[in-house]
Amino acid sequence: MNGFRVTILVLFCLTVGLMFYAVTVVLPAQQERYNVYRATEKSREYEQREYDHRLRMEQLAPEADTQEVKNARESAAESERQREQAINEAEESSVIASAKRKQEEREALAAAQAAREEENKPISLGNVKAFDAEWNVILFLPQANTPVSEGLEIAVCRGGKLICEAVVDGKDEQSGQVSATIKQADFGATMPGVEIPTPQVGDEVIISPFESSKQLRMQDVDNFGTPGQQPAPQQPNGNNQLPEVEATLTPIE
């Protein structure tokens, strides 16, 4: 193959490539720009016609309208007013229904919370009538229908705070008063300046909310000691004494 034929072949390939580029790239781009131009022109024509129409309508006097046109305009305005009113009423009804539903949910939650608090409320047995510090015994007169038997673990509270625990050990049949021996819990007894609370006349007597004295001793420091600090873990010792923690009043849940 000589140089002339190679040149002709190269020119032919270039021509085909240019034609392909023109058909696939240039012509679609031109067509797209033309379509955008036509759409813009149509939009301008529509806006111009709308503007001219508004001008003509503004030039017409209201009294020039026929009765049919006036009635049609008033009917359209009334329909639009009724539609807006219906939308506003629907929105107001939705807002009221949502607020009512939320109020019902809050009331249900409050009722459930009150029921739980009432269910978990300690059973009151009466008030302390006397306290013998020497014998470490309290006397109280039961006022509830809850039977009080020997061995029943009770707690003495003052202002919603736990003072001590005691165990019922007898009942005076003549006066109806019940005696209970206070459990030994020398919390903070060896700490200087710490005053251990003791029962007083008028303190409330309830059934102990604790399963055992061990559970009482393992309560969070928020109940016994300074809030925010964790109690030191109990270490086994030989004399089985209770851990030394600060003695304060314990809230009753």
Side-chain angles (χ1 to χ4, degrees), residues 109-228:
L109 290 176
Q113 180 67 21
R116 287 194 297 268
E117 292 178 356
E118 185 65 23
E119 181 180 354
N120 296 330
K121 185 178 180 180
I123 300 177
S124 178
L125 298 178
N127 299 95
V128 176
K129 298 299 181 181
F131 168 61
D132 189 332
E134 181 179 358
W135 293 94
N136 212 25
V137 173
I138 61 172
L139 296 177
F140 67 95
L141 183 63
Q143 298 178 357
N145 295 328
T146 303
V148 179
S149 58
E150 293 188 11
L152 177 66
E153 295 188 356
I154 61 175
V156 179
C157 303
R158 184 185 309 145
K161 305 294 183 177
L162 181 67
I163 301 299
C164 64
E165 280 191 308
V167 179
V168 174
D169 54 12
K171 180 178 181 180
D172 185 2
E173 297 297 339
Q174 184 176 0
S175 63
Q177 290 187 347
V178 176
S179 63
T181 302
I182 298 177
K183 289 185 177 181
Q184 295 294 333
D186 297 333
F187 296 134
T190 60
M191 299 177 63
V194 176
E195 181 181 357
I196 300 177
T198 58
Q200 297 179 2
V201 176
D203 289 345
E204 184 181 12
V205 179
I206 63 173
I207 295 179
S208 176
F210 304 101
E211 295 181 358
S212 64
S213 59
K214 181 180 180 181
Q215 181 183 2
L216 173 63
R217 294 193 299 271
M218 295 176 64
Q219 291 300 306
D220 190 281
V221 178
D222 291 336
N223 296 335
F224 290 96
T226 304

Side-chain angles (χ1 to χ4, degrees), residues 95-116:
V95 171
I96 293 174
S98 177
K100 183 177 180 181
R101 185 167 55 252
K102 291 181 180 179
Q103 179 65 22
E104 291 176 351
E105 292 176 355
R106 288 194 294 267
E107 292 178 354
L109 290 176
Q113 180 67 21
R116 287 194 297 268

Side-chain angles (χ1 to χ4, degrees), residues 60-66:
L60 294 176
E63 58 271 12
D65 292 339
T66 62

Side-chain angles (χ1 to χ4, degrees), residues 71-86:
N71 293 339
R73 184 181 292 108
E74 292 177 354
S75 177
E78 181 64 18
S79 299
E80 181 65 19
R81 187 189 67 80
Q82 293 179 357
R83 188 183 69 85
E84 292 180 355
Q85 182 178 0

